[in-house]
Amino acid sequence: FIPAAFWSMTVLKIALASAATLFLYLEILRNDLKGKFKTWKFNEFMEKCRNELDCGEMILSHFYLLLGCSIPFWLCNESKSSSLQLSLSSFSGVISLGIGDSLASIGGKKFGRTTWHYKTRKTLEGSFFGFIGMFISWLVMRKVCCSKISVQGIFINSIFSAVWEALVPLNDNLSLPIWTFLLFNKTII
């Protein structure tokens, strides 16, 4: 994502839209052919990817993950960005999901002891790992993108994003990047 964003934001946006369309088409095809080809390897692979938030016949977690990474790029106004200075908020999906959510999951599974509340398996320790991962990544991207956003703003956004990931009962593959994008745009103003 990052090299492509610096090369051409327009091409990246088109590629992400094409990939999202392909993902959705393949899921519809998989769902239609599921009864006809019970041993279809693609169906077996997709069933392994089923998330507890996937209800019904459709498996959409992979599609939501791609959308979550894509939506901030699509919302970014590229006319305000030069090739050397991209909007930091356009990377909200990549950093909040690719780094923050992943590290929260890994850290929570390995070191997690204290759950946020009785209705979730998410832990304070996992959220801490997610926060640290996002905070460090945002600091690096701040330098790469020549952004003027303050370190305090990055710190606050990282905390709020980590708490959102832990406590909001929505599919975080879709909601977390949008939340993070909105936080960064509010902080930049």
Side-chain angles (χ1 to χ4, degrees):
F1 287 96
I2 294 170
F6 281 101
W7 179 62
S8 174
M9 187 66 88
T10 302
V11 172
L12 177 62
K13 289 177 180 183
I14 292 169
L16 291 170
S18 300
T21 303
L22 179 64
F23 272 34
L24 188 57
Y25 176 75
L26 286 173
E27 179 55 26
I28 291 168
L29 181 67
R30 183 203 65 81
N31 199 40
D32 283 346
L33 298 177
K34 186 168 55 174
K36 297 175 180 112
F37 302 104
K38 295 228 185 251
T39 60
W40 193 27
K41 295 290 183 196
F42 183 67
N43 188 50
E44 291 175 25
F45 171 76
M46 291 305 293
E47 285 296 333
K48 290 178 186 174
C49 298
R50 186 177 286 277
N51 185 320
E52 64 269 1
L53 295 174
D54 285 321
C55 54
E57 297 294 317
M58 303 290 275
I59 301 173
L60 296 174
S61 290
H62 59 287
F63 180 65
Y64 289 159
L65 180 62
L66 180 62
L67 278 182
C69 289
S70 302
I71 288 172
F73 285 111
W74 292 334
L75 294 175
C76 175
N77 185 356
E78 68 184 79
S79 65
K80 291 182 179 177
S81 302
S82 71
S83 62
L84 295 175
Q85 185 175 2
L86 291 172
S87 170
L88 196 61
S89 63
S90 64
F91 296 98
S92 295
V94 176
I95 292 178
S96 66
L97 291 176
I99 295 171
D101 193 34
S102 298
L103 286 177
S105 177
I106 293 167
K109 285 179 182 167
K110 188 155 179 95
F111 302 105
R113 302 282 182 265
T114 311
T115 57
W116 277 91
H117 57 81
Y118 71 95
K119 290 184 179 181
T120 185
R121 296 182 328 214
K122 296 184 179 187
T123 64
L124 293 170
E125 296 85 359
S127 296
F128 177 74
F129 276 88
F131 159 73
I132 293 296
M134 284 188 281
F135 182 65
I136 292 170
S137 299
W138 285 122
L139 290 176
V140 170
M141 286 307 297
R142 178 178 177 248
K143 292 287 186 192
V144 170
C145 293
C146 305
S147 177
K148 294 182 174 96
I149 190 168
S150 70
V151 174
Q152 293 86 354
I154 291 173
F155 183 82
I156 290 167
N157 289 343
S158 298
I159 286 177
F160 282 153
S161 294
V163 170
W164 179 278
E165 188 275 333
L167 297 180
V168 174
L170 301 172
N171 187 318
D172 59 3
N173 286 348
L174 198 53
S175 66
L176 180 60
I178 294 169
W179 170 253
T180 306
F181 179 84
L182 293 173
L183 282 174
F184 265 100
N185 281 307
K186 184 65 178 166
T187 304
I188 291 169
I189 295 172

